[in-house]
C-alpha cells in the first residue's frame, strides 16, 4: 500500500461516523467553491473587475493544464480503484489526478492573495478545506489534491508574472 492510499483511507475513514461531519464534508467538497468569487467584494471597488477577470483567467489556465495532465497520466478515482463509496455522486470513470476543484480553488485564492493578503489568506483557507473535503468524501487521493494545489498556484503565479512583465514593457 502506498502512502497516498494509506493517507486516503485514514482521512476517508472518518466519513460515515458523524452526520454533521459528513454534511460539512459534502458542503465543502461540492458547494463551497461557489463562494470564492464573493471574496472579490472584500477588495477595493477599483480592483474588483480586474481581479475577477484575473481569477477567471487563472482558473481556466489551471483547468487546461489539468486536462493535459489528466489525459497524460490518467488515474482512476478511489471509488473504482479501492471500491469505496463516496459521499457525493460523481462521474466515477473521470480522472482523479489532479483535482479540478482544488486547482480552481487554489488558482482563485492565490490570485486573490496577490491583491490582498487578508482576503487571499482567507480564500486559501477555504481552498484548503475544499481540497481536504474532496479526500474526506472519497473522490480524490491526497496526491490528487496536492497536484491540484500546485497547478492552481502555478497558474496564478505564471499569469501574474506575465501580467507584471507586460505592464513594465508598456511603461
Amino acid at each position: 500500500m502506498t502512502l497516498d492510499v494509506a493517507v486516503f483511507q485514514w482521512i476517508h475513514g472518518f466519513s460515515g461516523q458523524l452526520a454533521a461531519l459528513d454534511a460539512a464534508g459534502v458542503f465543502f467538497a461540492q458547494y463551497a467553491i461557489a463562494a470564492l468569487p464573493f471574496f472579490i467584494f472584500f477588495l477595493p471597488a477599483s480592483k474588483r473587475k480586474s481581479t475577477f477577470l484575473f481569477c477567471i483567467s487563472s482558473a481556466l489556465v489551471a483547468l487546461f493544464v489539468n486536462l493535459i495532465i489528466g489525459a497524460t497520466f490518467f488515474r482512476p478515482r478511489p471509488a473504482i480503484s479501492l471500491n469505496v463509496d463516496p459521499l457525493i455522486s460523481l462521474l466515477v470513470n473521470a480522472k482523479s489526478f489532479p483535482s479540478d476543484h482544488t486547482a480552481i480553488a487554489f488558482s482563485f485564492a492565490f490570485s486573490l492573495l496577490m491583491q490582498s493578503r487578508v482576503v487571499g489568506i482567507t480564500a486559501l483557507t477555504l481552498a484548503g478545506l475544499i481540497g481536504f473535503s474532496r479526500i474526506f468524501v472519497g473522490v480524490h487521493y491526497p496526491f490528487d489534491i496536492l497536484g491540484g494545489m500546485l497547478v492552481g498556484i502555478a497558474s496564478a503565479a505564471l499569469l501574474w508574472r506575465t501580467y507584471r512583465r507586460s505592464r513594465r514593457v508598456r511603461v
Side-chain angles (χ1 to χ4, degrees), residues 2-171:
T2 66
L3 177 63
D4 198 27
V5 171
V7 172
F8 168 82
Q9 289 178 332
W10 182 72
I11 293 171
H12 182 63
F14 289 100
S15 69
Q17 305 297 315
L18 187 61
L21 189 59
D22 288 354
V26 168
F27 171 78
F28 283 106
Q30 281 192 306
Y31 307 111
I33 197 167
L36 284 168
F38 293 101
F39 280 81
I40 290 172
F41 291 108
F42 293 102
L43 297 175
S46 62
K47 291 185 173 185
R48 289 179 189 160
K49 183 178 178 183
S50 62
T51 301
F52 180 73
L53 292 173
F54 186 82
C55 289
I56 295 297
S57 299
S58 174
L60 289 173
V61 168
L63 280 176
F64 180 72
V65 171
N66 271 10
L67 182 70
I68 293 169
I69 294 171
T72 307
F73 304 102
F74 182 83
R75 180 183 195 187
R77 290 190 183 264
I80 296 294
S81 56
L82 297 179
N83 198 26
V84 298
D85 291 325
L87 295 180
I88 60 175
S89 59
L90 66 141
L91 298 170
V92 291
N93 292 332
K95 67 155 181 76
S96 186
F97 178 82
S99 167
D100 291 340
H101 273 79
T102 307
I104 291 168
F106 274 89
S107 67
F108 222 95
F110 200 74
S111 297
L112 288 166
L113 181 66
M114 291 182 226
Q115 293 298 322
S116 166
R117 182 163 290 200
V118 172
V119 173
I121 289 172
T122 307
L124 282 169
T125 302
L126 178 59
L129 287 169
I130 290 168
F132 182 83
S133 69
R134 304 289 291 175
I135 302 167
F136 176 80
V137 300
V139 297
H140 282 292
Y141 295 98
F143 286 166
D144 302 340
I145 302 307
L146 181 61
M149 286 173 55
L150 293 174
V151 168
I153 290 170
S155 297
L158 177 68
L159 280 180
W160 182 254
R161 184 176 177 161
T162 304
Y163 169 74
R164 300 289 290 176
R165 186 175 289 151
S166 71
R167 287 187 49 104
R168 273 187 260 145
V169 169
R170 280 191 219 154
V171 174

